[in-house]
Amino acid sequence: MTTTPSPDKNGITRYGVAGGTGQGGSHMPFARAVAADGWLHVSGQVPMENGEVIEGGIVAQSHKAIQQVLAILKEAGYGPEHVVRCGVWLDDARDFASFNKVFREYFGENPPARACVQSSLVVDAKVEVDCIAYRGPHAAPTSVG
């Protein structure tokens, strides 16, 4: 189980600062997420397992990328109901409708604001998803476990 990091002198908590594993096993030099003043910024997630993009089309890859975002949210004590904005990058604009069907499964009850653009990705993936979440000072953390 991951230990919860402590805030620094500025009150900023960084999750996953040791860096993750990118494509081909390369070290990724950024935090998975950063929390400050109730806000959580989750770094872009692509559909990877063990440093490799998973097989499958846009549906499988969308599920994986969103599940990774949700796992990071959970680690920090947030849930999908706390997400206020998502950013989505699609390699192929024709995947927009298929991505939306998957996105709705996870955020249908609490839809965040969202931007979705077509962009070449730096890894051989069909989708990347990031988010910003907010949990007010009086809100209870989402249970972890």
Side-chain angles (χ1 to χ4, degrees), residues 57-83:
I58 187 63
V59 171
Q61 288 196 9
S62 296
H63 278 290
K64 183 64 176 177
I66 294 170
Q67 289 166 358
Q68 288 178 188
V69 166
L70 294 176
I72 294 167
L73 286 166
K74 184 176 180 180
E75 176 186 350
Y78 291 71
E81 69 276 12
H82 298 113
V83 175

Side-chain angles (χ1 to χ4, degrees), residues 21-28 48 50-53 122-125:
T21 302
Q23 198 163 21
S26 63
H27 178 269
M28 303 307 291
M48 282 191 165
N50 303 316
E52 298 297 327
V53 175
V122 295
V123 295
D124 191 23

Side-chain angles (χ1 to χ4, degrees), residues 1-7 13-19 32-33 71-77 144-145:
M1 175 156 227
T2 307
T3 59
T4 303
S6 299
T13 304
R14 300 171 197 281
Y15 295 85
V17 294
R32 284 191 316 277
I72 294 167
L73 286 166
K74 184 176 180 180
E75 176 186 350
V144 177

